[in-house]
Amino acid sequence: MEGVSLASRLDKIRSPNLQNQRQVILSPISHVTIPVFTESLSQKTAVVLSAVEDTLRDQQTDFTPTAYFAAILALLNQSISSSAGIVNKDLATSVVYLLDLITPYAPAPLLRSKFSQILINLAPALTHPEAEAPLLKSSIGCLESLLTAQDSAAWQLPQSQIGPRRAIAGLLSLAVDHRPKVRKRAQDALTKILKNPPPSPSVDHPAADMCAETSLRSLSQLAKETGKKQKHRSHKDDHHHDPNLIHSLQLVKTIAAASGGWPARKIEPLCEVLLNISRSSNEYLTMAAFEVFEVIFEGMADELSSAKLPRLLEVISELRPSRNDSQLLPPWIAVLSRGYEVSAQINPDETFRKLPEIFDLVSGFLESSSHNIRVSASECLISFVSDCVPYTVLLNPSVFDGKILEKIAKSATSLLTVKYQASWLEVFNVLEALFDSLRWRSNPILSDIVKTVGELRGSSSFNGKKEADRVLGKAVRAMGPEAILNILPLNISEPKAGQPGRVWMLPILRDYVSNTHLAHFRSEFTPLSEVMFQRVIDHVEAEKSLETKIFETVVQQIWSILPGYCDLPLDVSEAFDQSFAEIVSNVLYKQVELRPDICRALQTLVDSNKAILDLESDDDLVLQRRVTKADARSNIDHLASFASNLLAVLFNVYSETLPQYRGFILKCINAYLSITPEKELASTFERVTTMLGTSLGEAEQTKAEKQKLKKPEEKMPPMSHTLMDLVITISVYLPRESFQALFNIPALIIMKDNDPQLQKKAYKLIPRLAESEVGKAALGERNAELQQLLIRSADKALAPSRRDRLEAISRIVELLPKTDLYFVPSILPEVIISTKEVNEKARTAAFDLLVLMGERMRQGGVVVNSKVADMPDDAPSVPATLEEYFTMVSAGLAGSTPHVISASITALTRILYHYRESLKPELLTEIVSTMGLFLTSNNREIVRSVLGFVKVSVISLPEEIMVPRLKTIIPNLMVWSHEHKAHFRAKVKHILERMIRRYGYEIVEWNTPDEDKKLIVNIRKSKDRRKRKKEAGGAEEVEEDAPKKRANKFDTEFDEAVYGSESEDRSDVSDDEIMGKKRTRGKGKGGETFIVEDEDEPLDLLDRKALANISTTKPQKARKPRRNVSARTNEDGKLVLGGESDDDDAVMMDPGPEASKGGASLEGINAYMDAMKGRDAVQRGQRGRLKFSNKRNKGEDADEMEVDEEEVVQKLKTKQGAIGKGSPKRRGLEMGRTRGGRVQKSPRGKIRRR
């Protein structure tokens, strides 16, 4: 409030339009004009303010806060009096509102002197039972300002006298009012008053005790009444006091927050009441009680109020409920947990000394039979060990600290005894938190816990193996694998009698080992791996496949632990030496299946130390896990000495690996390239480029012939491709001295058009260099050279490399000097044509490049046209502007082929959408007019692009530009609304819908030719129909009647026409691409796969042939073969065509002995029965005519025909002899399709004999 001036607040009230809308009378007391109101409350307030200012103006008094205060106080005496109460309610509301507005700016001595007078005048408003909320809120505001200005002497007056304490009593009463706004305003006023105490030695406000006592008394009374009501659930007013109780809790919360917690003398009764309330079954009461505790603890977190915290914790501990009280004990435990969390923040050392005592106190509740109590106790213990152990105990523990930790460990170990067996799952959670908190100090004080849990985990009858694995995993992370394996040895290579094997420890070690000693892996697991691998070899020779697979798995699990050992190890300089590097290199060469784990380990070794160096803060050994920045720098330098040899190994392994499995190797190579010294890096690059030059000179024909016999996924790429990948990877780390040789590589490869993949990789080099600052500087220095290279190589660019070429051009354009802007028109035709590329990523790159070139042109400069190819030498230079850029793009509209014109229109659409707000209206009008002419073209490719332009224009361009053009655009659009190819009709309809949505139905209809207005009417009716259904709540019916969604990335053909690639031509461009939006290829629903399996036998996923049963399309259920049934015949052997039978259709007369000679005779009869009873059966149509329906499967057309029954009978009679003999070669009747309601016979329409 103080931040806003009084004048600005009064200006918001003044309304010039109300100055002449009042009637006034003259007050005989103060000569203040009093209005007679007929306006609303805000208008009344403005009139009162105007009257006050008129009076001050008449008295020639300045508009000061004191003058306003005196004048409004005089009006207050007229509107409210202690004897008559509220004289004029409307006037009182406005006057008190203005008084609330003025008092914060009035001098404090003036407010103190007038306090009694104002309080007496406001008393009727505060106590009146029918006082409205606006009057009460303003009165509360006045009291807030008055009480804030009182001194210590005034606060010493008792409540029986007219003084501040009586006003506080009124505010406390209003703070639990049933009206939310009044209640909120009173609570805010109390908060401000208590937070601004008068100058005195005391920390608390003089009224804090009174507020606490009053609110606590009210809370206790309401809590008792609520408790009585809860005992009589059948009473009608069961929850009558619940709202009042919540309001009272809110008041307590407000006082606690404002007074720095709670007055120390009132803490004990408050805690008792709150704990009793928190046991209520009403969740709102419980939450409100917890919020009060939370506010009290937060208020005690500062230095001034922290002295109250020990007493509060002592009181809470003394109020401990019964051990079996399942309602009160969980909230008590939660409050205790929060209290010690705050205590740990204020006084961590003192809290840590109390930790064993409170740990034993709460851990005793884990014996309870109540699950809720056990869970609450475990969560409290987790909070204790997580928050109450300071970092100083971990880094520099004293002897006393060590004894405290031993006490905690002893208490935690006792939780694994039999009496806590019912709560072992909760105990395991506590132990996990304990290991996380104590970290490396867990060894050796928690060794007994590891031993006990390990023995439980090894028992076959123990059901909590998953939880035990997590505890052991946290122990491995805290104590280190060496300490754990000393307690729980693996016993794999040389099992000892009486000791179980613990191969199940390997996955735990893999997931949890970190920040330990790398030398332990060398001494423990490297020999174990050799033993296991020898057993693999032995079992392979003995042809024991199962044992071989088991030991291979063990070997793989052993090496999967190595990445954890390499995560910030403590002994890099000692453990990672030449011999270990040789071991790792040999495994990389010989064990293909172990390469991912080893490469990840080598990469983690570098990345974890670099992460420490990247930290901006000072050394925090707990956060950095005991590795300082100096240690990390030493580790990086040590690894850099091995980088050159490791890179050679990784390069060789990379060249021997199939492309689809090279990703992890490339990441590892990047890690070591980043730490390799410059001299060694330059030497490595020189060797790679030499090999690349050799591989480019040699013919790959021989190797290609060898690869012909292999499957495509097993083919190794040419060595030149592999070396080019390595060059791209190295390039970003190269020193500047090596850039000359680096730039020679793309200059040589880009000009070759016999290897698309190699050319593609060469173009990737430029974007790769742009990732580093050194690379950007190099690209800037050689920008002119690269420009000429890209211009010369335009004719050599192959389709697969188009996207990467455009990316390379983009990087060059970003660094383009203002003097070399001729490069933009030189490369612009290629970019425009690329917007019609088949590859979507290439099109996206082309659109982005168009926008980027526009940005460069907009930044200014000179375009030297004489340097542009195919331009005369005397061509004048032009300034680089956005309008000039549009002129360059528009030149393509005069192209010689429809493809060029279409691409130019598409490019123009994209840059128009992006720069529409930066172009002059004249240029926009000219572009729209020009495009309207192309709508009259007869070429579909051109018109398709123009339709995209029209849609974008309708969506984005100003109405004043588009509306005058509609009279020519709409008639030309309507010409293509009759064209069904390439979804032209759907596109036009969608554009018209967007026009109607933006410009209105009347404008569009007025510009539509009369013969085409039926389409506009159809759009309007469809919109109205949808609106009516929505209003009528017909959404469900619409969903039910809606056709089934197509198995496509778009829901309907209309969406596909508008948003997808709408043409049979794969290079068509969507509107989203043109507007620079990301296209979604149905990723939300796409990517589904289906398993094709037999109904009787599920698919065996371990079978090698299982992949053949995985399909990306939903499999259709196979139609069940029909049963072979016999046809009905009469006594003469003739087929019975009509009539009904009482028997089942499947039960027929015996067809004769010939039917048993083979299935051919039954085949014809079955076909006939299918025609009579199947889906193609004869039905009665209109006028009793027979109706044949040749319905196909889903997606096929259905043809129907109607014929006379007599005609059918005649046909049957003519064929009766052939049918009635039941020949084995007989086939059923088949009817031909009809067109136009007439029967047409096809060759299959005749009865044929086999």
Side-chain angles (χ1 to χ4, degrees):
M1 182 179 294
E2 288 78 1
V4 182
S5 64
L6 176 61
S8 61
R9 300 193 68 190
L10 293 177
D11 287 339
K12 294 180 180 179
I13 297 177
R14 298 185 184 98
S15 178
N17 296 329
L18 299 177
Q19 297 300 321
N20 299 320
Q21 297 181 11
R22 71 182 190 277
Q23 302 173 0
V24 297
I25 59 174
L26 188 63
S27 170
I29 299 176
S30 60
H31 303 284
V32 177
T33 53
I34 304 175
V36 178
F37 298 103
T38 58
E39 301 89 1
S40 64
L41 180 61
S42 59
Q43 293 172 339
K44 295 170 186 175
T45 305
V47 172
V48 172
L49 176 62
S50 177
V52 169
E53 291 178 343
D54 289 346
T55 302
L56 295 178
R57 196 176 292 109
D58 293 341
Q59 296 176 353
Q60 297 181 355
T61 304
D62 294 336
F63 290 174
T64 61
T66 303
Y68 278 117
F69 182 79
I72 295 174
L73 191 59
L75 282 177
L76 180 64
N77 296 329
Q78 301 177 46
S79 58
I80 304 176
S81 66
S82 58
S83 58
I86 301 176
V87 179
N88 187 329
K89 185 178 67 174
D90 294 336
L91 177 61
T93 303
S94 299
V95 170
V96 175
Y97 176 81
L98 290 173
L99 187 64
D100 178 24
L101 193 70
I102 298 297
T103 47
Y105 304 95
L110 178 62
L111 295 179
R112 287 195 290 269
S113 63
K114 297 294 183 181
F115 176 78
S116 300
Q117 177 185 351
I118 297 175
L119 183 59
I120 292 173
N121 288 332
L122 291 179
L126 294 171
T127 58
H128 197 282
E130 297 181 0
E132 297 181 353
L135 178 58
L136 286 176
K137 289 168 59 180
S138 300
S139 301
I140 292 170
C142 293
L143 290 181
E144 175 189 321
S145 301
L146 291 171
L147 293 173
T148 305
Q150 301 304 305
D151 53 13
S152 299
W155 285 105
Q156 300 302 322
L157 295 175
Q159 187 175 346
S160 58
Q161 298 183 16
I162 298 176
R165 291 183 178 271
R166 180 176 290 187
I168 286 289
L171 289 178
L172 290 172
S173 176
L174 291 172
V176 291
D177 192 87
H178 66 280
R179 289 163 289 190
K181 292 184 178 180
V182 175
R183 187 170 63 248
K184 180 68 167 56
R185 186 68 183 88
Q187 292 173 2
D188 292 343
L190 286 171
T191 299
K192 184 175 181 181
I193 293 168
L194 294 177
K195 283 187 175 181
N196 294 275
S200 68
S202 175
V203 176
D204 295 331
H205 194 281
D209 286 343
M210 173 189 171
C211 293
E213 183 177 354
T214 304
S215 59
L216 182 58
R217 183 170 57 249
S218 173
L219 181 65
S220 302
Q221 181 180 356
L222 290 172
K224 290 179 181 179
E225 294 178 1
T226 302
K228 292 178 181 179
K229 293 294 183 180
Q230 288 180 347
K231 294 180 181 178
H232 304 84
R233 293 281 182 180
S234 59
H235 199 280
K236 283 195 259 183
D237 299 329
D238 184 18
H239 297 286
H240 175 72
H241 288 284
D242 284 358
N244 295 333
L245 187 57
I246 292 177
H247 298 163
S248 185
L249 282 169
Q250 185 66 29
L251 175 59
V252 171
K253 178 181 174 182
T254 301
I255 295 172
S259 58
W262 193 258
R265 296 188 299 273
K266 308 294 182 182
I267 284 180
E268 185 173 354
L270 174 65
C271 292
E272 185 176 357
V273 173
L274 291 177
L275 289 173
N276 287 329
I277 293 175
S278 63
R279 67 186 298 176
S280 170
S281 59
N282 190 324
E283 60 180 0
Y284 297 106
L285 291 178
T286 304
M287 291 173 58
F290 281 150
E291 287 176 358
V292 174
F293 273 116
E294 183 71 22
V295 168
I296 292 174
F297 287 131
E298 288 179 359
M300 294 182 178
D302 57 42
E303 296 180 0
L304 295 177
S305 303
S306 60
K308 306 175 186 178
L309 186 59
R311 175 57 184 161
L312 176 60
L313 293 177
E314 181 182 349
V315 170
I316 293 175
S317 300
E318 292 174 354
L319 294 173
R320 181 176 60 181
S322 172
R323 298 175 69 90
N324 297 320
D325 192 341
S326 59
Q327 285 189 333
L328 188 55
L329 199 54
W332 178 83
I333 293 175
V335 170
L336 189 69
S337 171
R338 176 59 178 149
Y340 277 98
E341 180 184 347
V342 175
S343 178
Q345 297 173 6
I346 298 173
N347 195 346
D349 295 334
E350 183 66 27
T351 306
F352 177 67
R353 284 194 289 270
K354 294 181 180 180
L355 186 56
E357 178 185 351
I358 60 177
F359 191 93
D360 291 338
L361 172 67
V362 177
S363 61
F365 297 115
L366 291 173
E367 299 180 47
S368 175
S369 58
S370 172
H371 177 70
N372 291 337
I373 294 177
R374 296 200 304 269
V375 171
S376 298
S378 65
E379 291 176 350
C380 182
L381 291 175
I382 291 172
S383 175
F384 284 165
V385 299
S386 300
D387 300 326
C388 300
V389 179
Y391 283 170
T392 55
V393 175
L394 301 178
L395 299 175
N396 299 305
S398 63
V399 177
F400 184 69
D401 293 338
K403 291 181 179 180
I404 293 177
L405 291 178
E406 290 176 0
K407 291 180 181 180
I408 297 173
K410 185 178 180 180
S411 300
T413 306
S414 67
L415 297 179
L416 293 172
T417 55
V418 177
K419 70 176 182 179
Y420 294 105
Q421 186 173 2
S423 59
W424 271 355
L425 295 181
E426 290 79 17
V427 169
F428 283 169
N429 293 332
V430 176
L431 297 179
E432 289 180 36
L434 190 60
F435 280 113
D436 286 342
S437 180
L438 299 187
R439 302 179 187 244
W440 56 87
R441 296 298 174 190
S442 303
N443 187 23
I445 61 175
L446 299 182
S447 299
D448 292 339
I449 293 177
V450 174
K451 183 177 180 181
T452 305
V453 175
E455 292 173 353
L456 289 173
R457 172 61 175 83
S459 175
S460 59
S461 60
F462 183 65
N463 295 325
K465 289 183 171 58
K466 183 178 179 181
E467 291 77 11
D469 285 348
R470 287 204 301 267
V471 175
L472 292 175
K474 295 298 180 70
V476 167
R477 181 174 296 169
M479 301 172 63
E482 184 175 2
I484 299 298
L485 293 180
N486 288 335
I487 302 171
L488 302 172
L490 293 175
N491 294 329
I492 297 177
S493 59
E494 297 178 359
K496 297 180 181 180
Q499 293 188 4
R502 296 187 177 90
V503 72
W504 48 266
M505 286 285 293
L506 293 177
I508 298 176
L509 293 171
R510 175 198 63 201
D511 295 336
Y512 289 95
V513 168
S514 175
N515 190 220
T516 185
H517 293 87
L518 183 58
H520 181 255
F521 184 87
R522 295 187 58 181
S523 61
E524 178 74 19
F525 290 102
T526 303
L528 180 61
S529 173
E530 294 175 356
V531 173
M532 294 295 105
F533 188 70
Q534 185 59 43
R535 293 185 183 180
V536 171
I537 296 174
D538 297 341
H539 286 92
V540 168
E541 295 175 354
E543 297 183 355
K544 295 181 179 180
S545 58
L546 179 59
E547 289 80 358
T548 302
K549 187 64 178 177
I550 291 174
F551 287 111
E552 284 179 350
T553 303
V554 173
V555 172
Q556 189 168 3
Q557 287 183 339
I558 289 172
W559 284 97
S560 68
I561 304 173
L562 182 58
Y565 276 93
C566 292
D567 182 16
L568 205 62
L570 301 174
D571 57 346
V572 175
S573 301
E574 297 80 14
F576 197 94
D577 53 10
Q578 185 64 32
S579 60
F580 186 71
E582 291 176 359
I583 293 173
V584 172
S585 300
N586 290 332
V587 177
L588 277 174
Y589 279 127
K590 297 178 181 179
Q591 301 293 324
V592 177
E593 64 276 3
L594 301 181
R595 287 175 180 174
D597 291 323
I598 295 177
C599 287
R600 188 157 58 92
L602 293 174
Q603 179 187 351
T604 304
L605 201 58
V606 175
D607 292 345
S608 59
N609 283 282
K610 288 175 65 177
I612 298 297
L613 294 176
D614 292 339
L615 293 175
E616 297 180 357
S617 59
D618 297 334
D619 281 341
D620 183 349
L621 293 183
V622 176
L623 177 64
Q624 298 170 198
R625 298 182 288 176
R626 296 175 288 174
V627 177
T628 64
K629 291 185 177 180
D631 294 337
R633 170 53 59 192
S634 175
N635 293 339
I636 291 294
D637 294 339
H638 179 74
L639 293 173
S641 63
F642 294 92
S644 180
N645 293 332
L646 284 175
L647 284 174
V649 174
L650 291 171
F651 287 172
N652 292 333
V653 172
Y654 184 84
S655 63
E656 297 172 359
T657 307
L658 291 172
Q660 58 267 32
Y661 304 114
R662 289 177 168 178
F664 58 89
I665 304 176
L666 207 58
K667 290 180 181 179
C668 187
I669 290 174
N670 269 295
Y672 281 87
L673 284 172
S674 64
I675 64 172
T676 306
E678 289 189 359
K679 291 183 179 180
E680 296 183 9
L681 191 60
S683 176
T684 302
F685 174 70
E686 185 178 353
R687 291 197 300 269
V688 173
T689 52
T690 302
M691 295 174 62
L692 177 60
T694 305
S695 63
L696 289 175
E698 294 177 354
E700 297 284 347
Q701 185 65 29
T702 305
K703 186 172 183 178
E705 291 177 357
K706 292 180 181 179
Q707 297 285 354
K708 285 182 180 179
L709 299 178
K710 296 184 179 181
K711 296 180 181 179
E713 61 271 14
E714 297 178 356
K715 288 183 178 179
M716 289 293 295
M719 182 56 68
S720 58
H721 292 189
T722 300
L723 293 172
M724 194 62 201
D725 287 338
L726 296 177
V727 168
I728 294 172
T729 306
I730 298 173
S731 61
V732 74
Y733 304 105
L734 284 176
R736 299 177 66 88
E737 295 77 16
S738 303
F739 280 158
Q740 183 59 45
L742 178 65
F743 282 103
N744 290 335
I745 296 174
L748 175 64
I749 297 177
I750 286 176
M751 300 305 294
K752 293 186 176 182
D753 56 359
N754 57 350
D755 193 338
Q757 292 301 319
L758 191 61
Q759 187 184 77
K760 183 177 182 179
K761 294 178 186 297
Y763 281 120
K764 284 177 183 258
L765 189 58
I766 295 177
R768 171 70 172 172
L769 278 175
E771 295 177 4
S772 67
E773 295 300 326
V774 178
K776 282 185 179 180
L779 291 176
E781 293 174 0
R782 293 171 172 80
N783 198 284
E785 177 185 342
L786 293 173
Q787 292 174 34
Q788 296 303 319
L789 175 62
L790 292 171
I791 293 174
R792 293 196 309 270
S793 61
D795 297 336
K796 299 288 185 178
L798 302 173
S801 63
R802 181 68 62 187
R803 177 208 172 189
D804 296 285
R805 175 177 167 84
L806 293 171
E807 293 288 348
I809 295 174
S810 298
R811 303 291 85 78
I812 298 301
V813 171
E814 288 177 357
L815 304 172
L816 201 63
K818 292 185 178 182
T819 57
D820 291 350
L821 290 179
Y822 73 91
F823 180 71
V824 172
S826 300
I827 212 73
L828 185 59
E830 179 185 357
V831 180
I832 292 175
I833 293 296
S834 298
T835 60
K836 303 290 286 185
E837 279 287 328
V838 174
N839 187 287
E840 181 183 348
K841 293 182 179 179
R843 296 199 302 269
T844 303
F847 286 129
D848 294 342
L849 182 53
L850 282 171
V851 174
L852 179 61
M853 290 192 295
E855 289 292 341
R856 295 298 299 167
M857 292 289 289
R858 184 162 66 171
Q859 292 174 6
V862 178
V863 180
V864 184
N865 287 324
S866 59
K867 295 184 178 180
V868 180
D870 300 329
M871 291 285 285
D873 295 337
D874 56 349
S877 301
V878 294
T881 60
L882 202 55
E883 288 75 12
E884 180 64 25
Y885 180 60
F886 271 81
T887 303
M888 295 178 185
V889 178
S890 302
L893 299 177
S896 58
T897 63
H899 187 72
V900 173
I901 298 174
S902 175
S904 301
I905 295 173
T906 303
L908 199 59
T909 305
R910 177 67 184 93
I911 60 176
L912 175 69
Y913 180 79
H914 187 84
Y915 295 109
R916 61 187 183 278
E917 297 178 356
S918 303
L919 297 177
K920 298 179 180 178
E922 297 79 10
L923 181 59
L924 292 175
T925 303
E926 182 180 355
I927 294 174
V928 173
S929 302
T930 305
M931 290 300 168
L933 300 176
F934 283 99
L935 273 176
T936 60
S937 173
N938 293 327
N939 186 277
R940 288 191 177 89
E941 184 179 8
I942 295 176
V943 174
R944 188 163 51 238
S945 298
V946 179
L947 291 178
F949 176 88
V950 172
K951 177 184 173 182
V952 171
S953 301
V954 170
I955 293 173
S956 59
L957 294 187
E959 294 185 18
E960 55 270 17
I961 293 177
M962 290 301 298
V963 172
R965 319 304 314 170
L966 294 181
K967 60 184 178 181
T968 56
I969 293 176
I970 293 180
N972 293 334
L973 277 177
M974 287 303 181
V975 174
W976 294 99
S977 66
H978 308 290
E979 179 65 55
H980 292 277
K981 284 188 177 181
H983 307 289
F984 277 109
R985 179 180 175 84
K987 291 181 180 181
V988 172
K989 184 176 180 181
H990 180 67
I991 293 172
L992 292 172
E993 288 176 346
R994 299 304 294 259
M995 287 182 177
I996 293 174
R997 190 184 309 173
R998 189 171 187 199
Y999 308 130
Y1001 176 81
E1002 293 76 12
I1003 294 178
V1004 176
E1005 184 186 27
W1006 187 79
N1007 290 284
T1008 304
D1010 294 338
E1011 61 272 14
D1012 294 313
K1013 286 187 177 180
K1014 59 182 180 180
L1015 179 58
I1016 307 298
V1017 173
N1018 174 264
I1019 293 173
R1020 178 178 57 81
K1021 288 184 176 180
S1022 300
K1023 180 180 179 181
D1024 294 342
R1025 190 182 305 115
R1026 290 192 298 268
K1027 184 178 180 181
R1028 287 196 302 269
K1029 286 185 177 181
K1030 184 177 180 180
E1031 292 175 352
E1036 297 181 359
E1037 298 179 3
V1038 173
E1039 290 180 1
E1040 293 177 359
D1041 298 339
K1044 194 172 183 180
K1045 290 186 178 181
R1046 304 186 310 151
N1048 197 358
K1049 61 184 178 181
F1050 301 99
D1051 292 341
T1052 63
E1053 288 185 2
F1054 177 76
D1055 292 339
E1056 184 176 2
V1058 177
Y1059 301 109
S1061 295
E1062 303 128 327
S1063 173
E1064 297 171 0
D1065 180 9
R1066 293 174 56 200
S1067 65
D1068 193 17
V1069 187
S1070 72
D1071 296 324
D1072 284 349
E1073 283 185 78
I1074 294 175
M1075 292 185 285
K1077 300 178 181 178
K1078 298 292 184 181
R1079 295 184 60 190
T1080 57
R1081 289 193 170 273
K1083 291 181 180 179
K1085 299 180 180 179
E1088 294 183 330
T1089 55
F1090 301 90
I1091 297 178
V1092 183
E1093 60 181 353
D1094 187 36
E1095 293 182 357
D1096 300 327
E1097 183 178 357
L1099 177 64
D1100 183 8
L1101 294 175
L1102 298 179
D1103 189 358
R1104 292 184 177 180
K1105 299 180 180 179
L1107 190 60
N1109 293 67
I1110 307 298
S1111 173
T1112 56
T1113 57
K1114 188 174 182 180
Q1116 300 291 334
K1117 292 185 177 180
R1119 294 180 61 183
K1120 296 182 179 180
R1122 297 185 179 89
R1123 291 185 301 167
N1124 293 332
V1125 295
S1126 303
R1128 287 192 300 152
T1129 60
N1130 59 11
E1131 294 81 356
D1132 299 330
K1134 297 179 181 179
L1135 290 175
V1136 179
L1137 300 178
E1140 297 180 356
S1141 174
D1142 296 334
D1143 301 330
D1144 194 292
D1145 291 337
V1147 182
M1148 300 295 177
M1149 295 179 63
D1150 186 8
E1154 295 183 2
S1156 61
K1157 295 180 182 180
S1161 61
L1162 292 176
E1163 181 184 359
I1165 296 173
N1166 291 336
Y1168 174 75
M1169 292 305 300
D1170 184 51
M1172 298 301 297
K1173 298 292 185 181
R1175 63 178 183 177
D1176 298 333
V1178 181
Q1179 298 177 355
R1180 295 277 181 179
Q1182 295 179 353
R1183 303 176 185 175
R1185 295 166 68 89
L1186 293 180
K1187 186 176 182 182
F1188 293 86
S1189 176
N1190 296 328
K1191 294 183 178 179
R1192 299 290 183 257
N1193 292 330
K1194 184 178 179 181
E1196 298 184 14
D1197 297 332
D1199 296 340
E1200 295 184 352
M1201 63 180 179
E1202 293 185 358
V1203 296
D1204 290 333
E1205 184 177 1
E1206 297 178 358
E1207 181 179 354
V1208 175
V1209 173
Q1210 184 64 30
K1211 291 284 186 181
L1212 293 175
K1213 286 182 178 180
T1214 57
K1215 305 296 183 181
Q1216 182 176 345
I1219 298 174
K1221 293 179 182 180
S1223 173
K1225 300 180 181 179
R1226 187 178 298 114
R1227 296 189 66 185
L1229 292 175
E1230 296 182 4
M1231 304 303 298
R1233 293 188 178 183
T1234 63
R1235 297 179 182 174
R1238 302 177 64 183
V1239 179
Q1240 294 184 355
K1241 296 182 180 179
S1242 64
R1244 289 174 38 181
K1246 300 180 180 180
I1247 301 176
R1248 295 177 292 181
R1249 300 180 184 272
R1250 291 184 179 180

